[in-house]
Amino acid sequence: MTTVLIADDQPLQRFGFRMLLESQDDMTVVGEAANGAEATRMTAELHPDVVLMDVRMPGLDGIEATRRIVADGGRTRVLILTTFDLDEYAYAGLRAGASGFLVKDAQPEELLSGIRAVATGDAVVAPGLTRRLLDAYVHHLPTAPAPDNSPDAPDPRLAPLTDRETEILRVMGQGWTNTEIAERLHLAESTVKTHVGRILAKTGSRDRVQAVILAYDTKLVG
């Protein structure tokens, strides 16, 4: 059973999410928070699998609440809800440690699928938002010289990866799903999942979103 905490300052929005989630046999809502401070406190008390986190809330916003929840080191993962008008908040959420982003008016099936994916340790980003989000994120990165001041020097964070793992990390950064990677690189999907797991372990990435950030940070994708 996946336990979910809903964090949103709109009572009707919370009610709608609760009705949807509790219509599922594999989900239950363990609490509702009206702001980021409540979400942080309730997460520490209830330890939900997933926090469905709105961005704009009074007082402590969803980004800072996400940062605090992730920094606590618990098993709870955060799925942030955003809108195309609020992309700038989602950029900050990448660094805050969110495991996914969905548009607030996503179809019910997409929202449920996203919660399930995040709960099992995967990551999800709304279709159509991935490239725009990451492109804009990269443009906000500070410029830093390579360790030896050579523009062609390999990034040490990629050193543990095999050539195949580096190739898969590159296409992950381009937004390919495991199924697409398997089909286009002529691999079994189980093999792709194994490679992705090794990439996460070797690079210290918490989930797929952080691995994609790494692909951009190291200029595998640009």
Side-chain angles (χ1 to χ4, degrees):
M1 180 70 69
T2 298
T3 56
V4 183
L5 173 69
I6 300 170
D8 194 299
D9 69 332
Q10 300 297 317
L12 287 178
Q13 191 87 69
R14 295 198 304 271
F15 177 76
F17 287 142
R18 176 182 281 274
M19 291 292 289
L20 173 63
L21 270 55
E22 294 196 333
S23 70
Q24 305 299 301
D25 294 337
D26 61 338
M27 293 185 190
T28 187
V29 176
V30 295
E32 298 180 17
N35 55 60
E38 281 188 6
T40 303
R41 175 181 57 78
M42 294 178 71
T43 297
E45 293 174 356
L46 301 171
H47 307 290
D49 297 311
V50 178
V51 177
L52 195 59
M53 183 79 76
D54 190 16
V55 173
R56 300 187 78 178
M57 292 184 289
L60 194 72
D61 67 21
I63 298 301
E64 181 57 31
T66 296
R67 185 176 291 109
R68 295 184 186 186
I69 289 169
V70 173
D72 189 51
R75 63 183 178 84
T76 299
R77 292 178 175 269
V78 179
L79 178 58
I80 288 182
L81 297 177
T82 184
T83 70
F84 289 118
D85 293 330
L86 296 175
D87 281 353
E88 68 272 18
Y89 291 96
Y91 310 151
L94 285 169
R95 282 301 189 195
S99 293
F101 300 90
L102 286 178
V103 180
K104 205 164 186 180
D105 60 358
Q107 293 296 313
E109 296 78 11
E110 187 181 353
L111 178 61
L112 294 170
S113 176
I115 292 171
R116 292 185 179 106
V118 167
T120 57
D122 205 346
V124 61
V125 180
L129 183 58
T130 309
R131 188 73 197 191
R132 291 176 56 228
L133 179 63
L134 292 171
D135 281 350
Y137 164 78
V138 169
H139 294 154
H140 283 77
L141 287 175
T143 301
D148 66 354
N149 294 321
S150 168
D152 296 323
D155 192 293
R157 290 173 290 179
L158 300 179
L161 303 181
T162 65
D163 290 344
R164 174 62 90 179
E165 289 164 354
T166 301
E167 179 184 23
I168 289 176
L169 177 58
R170 180 181 293 109
V171 296
M172 285 169 62
Q174 294 171 356
W176 293 17
T177 64
N178 284 357
T179 300
E180 290 171 333
I181 294 171
E183 291 175 350
R184 299 180 189 183
L185 298 185
H186 307 292
L187 298 169
E189 191 161 351
S190 59
T191 301
V192 174
K193 290 180 180 178
T194 298
H195 281 309
V196 170
R198 288 174 179 167
I199 290 167
L200 298 184
K202 289 181 178 181
T203 62
S205 299
R206 185 169 187 264
D207 52 35
R208 197 183 189 96
V209 169
Q210 287 197 339
V212 171
I213 294 173
L214 176 65
Y216 274 80
D217 278 351
T218 57
K219 307 252 185 310
L220 276 180
V221 181

